[in-house]
Amino acid sequence: MIFFFEVKYTFFLFFALVLQMKSNKDNMNFTIRQAEEADFPSILNIIKALALFEKAPEKVTNTVEQMKAEKDFFQCLVAANDEGEIIGICLYFFAYYTWVGKSLYLDDLYVIEPYRRHGIAAALLNELFVIARKTKCNRVRWQVLDWNENAIKLYEKIGSTLDYEWINCDFDRKGIQEFNV
């Protein structure tokens, strides 16, 4: 009986969330939902748009086929307009950090240009934090480029802690193959 109540309650919360998003600040209708494999082409197009915005379009090597093969390693929330077009993404995965344990890492949050400033990014973030609470994460982490002042202002406004001390260390696929210390 408890399980049934939780399912009904979760179902109610989902529809309450959809209704809340449909009554956002300027009456732009959109819904937030978990991505499906059929969404991968649209998600990849938005990833490419994000890379262009970040002045690094040549760095996107991902493909729809790769996303399908690696779908167990990421999850994605999508914002869709009334026509079903995906207009924003919130791509994330679960990670384990030695200092705090289970965490949620937000890899990309992006809303395409004509749909910005309508509360879509906030709705995606709200749903991401619902997931983080529900899955008992100890941290939500993401990165922001130091020149992305609008995003930095938003993240400060919502109360996130910005850490200017750490430097990213990356190896690409070729570097991984050739690595030998």
Side-chain angles (χ1 to χ4, degrees), residues 28-157:
M28 174 176 282
N29 294 334
F30 61 91
T31 55
I32 304 294
R33 63 174 173 77
Q34 280 290 334
E36 301 167 357
E37 195 171 305
D39 299 321
F40 288 179
S42 296
I43 292 168
L44 185 58
N45 285 338
I46 292 177
I47 290 168
K48 289 177 180 179
L50 170 61
L52 188 62
F53 171 78
E54 292 181 345
K55 302 173 179 75
E58 72 286 352
K59 291 188 177 181
V60 177
T61 61
N62 207 349
T63 65
V64 171
E65 294 73 26
Q66 182 178 348
M67 291 174 75
K68 288 178 181 179
E70 299 172 349
K71 65 184 176 188
D72 293 337
F73 297 100
F74 71 93
Q75 295 181 47
C76 188
L77 295 167
V78 295
N81 64 15
D82 283 341
E83 290 77 43
E85 175 191 11
I86 295 176
I87 56 177
I89 65 167
C90 180
L91 196 141
Y92 64 96
F93 57 87
F94 293 95
Y96 190 86
Y97 290 96
T98 56
W99 290 8
V100 299
K102 183 179 179 182
S103 300
L104 190 151
Y105 188 86
L106 168 58
D107 194 41
D108 285 327
L109 173 66
Y110 193 72
V111 176
I112 58 177
E113 183 66 42
Y115 296 96
R116 292 188 190 151
R117 304 205 192 307
H118 296 285
I120 297 168
L124 286 163
L125 278 174
N126 280 331
E127 184 60 18
L128 182 77
F129 275 80
V130 167
I131 292 166
R133 286 190 295 270
K134 195 185 222 179
T135 58
K136 298 181 178 16
C137 289
N138 299 307
R139 174 190 288 159
V140 173
R141 174 174 273 177
W142 66 89
Q143 297 170 311
V144 60
L145 289 168
D146 62 358
W147 55 261
N148 192 344
E149 293 177 16
N150 288 336
I152 291 169
K153 286 177 187 172
L154 169 66
Y155 301 151
E156 288 174 333
K157 180 181 174 184

Side-chain angles (χ1 to χ4, degrees), residues 10-38:
T10 302
F11 188 73
F12 171 77
L13 287 176
F14 171 76
F15 279 103
L17 177 66
V18 169
L19 290 173
Q20 175 188 359
M21 285 178 246
K22 286 193 170 280
S23 63
N24 63 55
K25 64 182 178 185
D26 60 3
N27 293 324
M28 174 176 282
N29 294 334
F30 61 91
T31 55
I32 304 294
R33 63 174 173 77
Q34 280 290 334
E36 301 167 357
E37 195 171 305

